[in-house]
């Protein structure tokens, strides 16, 4: 039973356009969400996070939106760059809980020049 | 530049052999995680330590896998005996345990069991 779901295994966009990566979760106890980025042969690196008390968090070209009622979050990358091509993992946790992160299966983003 | 260090980076072994993967967490981090990445399951949590004490190893096959933290600078994951289905990339991550859940990952150990 997957608690964090990324239903799109892959996404392809043109350089300069917006990339939107989606994530759904089922566990209503989750209250802290993170996005990680992974290049081949490297470990995942932290990108951006959001607490459930917010509905938006922005860091440069990256914005994460959280819709608690729909149990849905999304990562927007604007403008997309070829260097953004990677696998993006959504993760969720219970803040103040065990700190362990539950990950989705990832979405492979390809940004074409 | 603080980072999580994993050894070896690559391991090829025969079925039935013992495999040991090592991890040096970031100095000062008190939480350590072992994750396994496969195409089918994505990133799945195998074990989790806080202050060297195991808190959750429910994701780990108990009959063949074991995880330990002999000291604060070393975490180990052992598979004995190894099987072809164990082939995957194993990641170690550490976290500060405060300021919100966050894990910093090593580069992983790619294990191939033939």
């Amino acid at each position: 039973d997957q608690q964090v779901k990324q239903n799109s295994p892959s996404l392809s966009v043109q350089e300069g356009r917006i990339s939107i990566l989606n994530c759904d979760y089922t566990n209503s106890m989750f209250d802290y969400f993170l996005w990680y980025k992974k290049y081949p042969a490297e470990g995942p690196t932290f990108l951006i996070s959001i607490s459930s008390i917010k509905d938006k968090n922005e860091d440069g070209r990256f914005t994460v939106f959280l819709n608690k009622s729909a149990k849905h979050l999304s990562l927007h990358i604007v403008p997309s760059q070829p260097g953004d091509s990677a696998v993006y993992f959504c993760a969720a946790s219970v803040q103040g809980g065990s700190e362990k992160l539950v990950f989705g299966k990832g979405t492979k983003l390809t940004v074409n020049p | 530049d603080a980072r999580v260090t994993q050894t070896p980076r690559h391991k090829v072994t025969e079925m039935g052999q013992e495999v040991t993967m090592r991890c040096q967490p970031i100095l000062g981090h008190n939480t350590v995680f072992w994750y396994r990445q496969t195409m089918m399951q994505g990133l799945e949590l195998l074990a989790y330590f806080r202050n060297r004490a195991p808190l959750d190893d429910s994701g780990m096959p108990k009959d063949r896998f074991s995880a330990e933290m002999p000291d604060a600078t070393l975490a180990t994951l052992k598979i004995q005996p190894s099987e072809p289905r164990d082939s995957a990339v194993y990641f170690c991550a550490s976290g500060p345990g405060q300021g919100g859940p966050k894990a910093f990952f090593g580069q992983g150990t790619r294990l191939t069991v033939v």
Side-chain angles (χ1 to χ4, degrees):
Chain A
D1 178 30
Q2 263 214 304
Q3 299 185 67
V4 178
K5 300 178 183 178
Q6 294 178 256
N7 292 319
S8 297
S10 63
L11 175 68
S12 183
V13 299
Q14 285 299 121
E15 180 178 6
R17 305 296 290 269
I18 185 171
S19 296
I20 300 177
L21 296 98
N22 294 303
C23 177
D24 297 294
Y25 61 96
T26 58
N27 188 342
S28 58
M29 296 296 293
F30 288 146
D31 58 3
Y32 195 81
F33 305 90
L34 307 89
W35 285 93
Y36 278 78
K37 176 180 179 180
K38 184 184 181 303
Y39 292 118
E42 295 184 11
T45 55
F46 170 75
L47 189 59
I48 192 170
S49 63
I50 187 168
S51 168
S52 60
I53 61 174
K54 295 184 175 182
D55 54 18
K56 176 183 174 181
N57 189 26
E58 192 172 350
D59 184 2
R61 296 185 298 113
F62 302 90
T63 303
V64 57
F65 295 91
L66 175 63
N67 182 333
K68 289 187 292 293
S69 61
K71 294 191 178 68
H72 177 84
L73 63 155
S74 60
L75 175 68
H76 292 210
I77 307 174
V78 183
S80 302
Q81 300 174 353
D84 297 329
S85 297
V87 177
Y88 289 78
F89 289 97
C90 172
S93 181
V94 179
Q95 199 165 9
S98 66
E99 304 123 325
K100 69 179 182 181
L101 299 176
V102 179
F103 284 85
K105 291 188 178 181
T107 296
K108 183 177 182 180
L109 173 66
T110 302
V111 180
N112 301 301
Chain B
D1 184 22
R3 63 180 68 186
V4 175
T5 303
Q6 289 185 249
T7 56
R9 292 292 312 277
H10 303 274
K11 177 72 175 180
V12 180
T13 191
E14 291 186 347
M15 181 174 64
Q17 296 296 306
E18 177 178 303
V19 175
T20 298
M21 290 168 271
R22 293 177 172 80
C23 168
Q24 181 177 350
I26 293 173
L27 187 65
H29 282 185
N30 67 348
T31 58
V32 173
F33 309 85
W34 283 103
Y35 283 89
R36 175 170 63 182
Q37 184 187 16
T38 62
M39 291 296 293
M40 295 299 293
Q41 299 297 328
L43 277 168
E44 52 179 341
L45 180 68
L46 297 175
Y48 158 54
F49 293 78
R50 183 194 294 158
N51 295 324
R52 296 177 54 202
L55 288 191
D56 186 347
D57 60 1
S58 58
M60 205 164 62
K62 302 289 192 305
D63 56 337
R64 298 184 300 108
F65 284 60
S66 63
E68 296 179 346
M69 280 201 73
D71 60 62
T73 65
L74 177 64
T76 62
L77 180 65
K78 291 186 181 181
I79 308 174
Q80 168 62 21
S82 57
E83 297 181 1
R85 58 178 168 153
D86 300 329
S87 298
V89 181
Y90 291 81
F91 288 104
C92 175
S94 70
Q98 293 180 2
K102 194 177 294 182
F104 296 82
F105 283 78
Q107 292 186 290
T109 294
R110 179 174 293 277
L111 174 65
T112 303
V113 183
V114 298

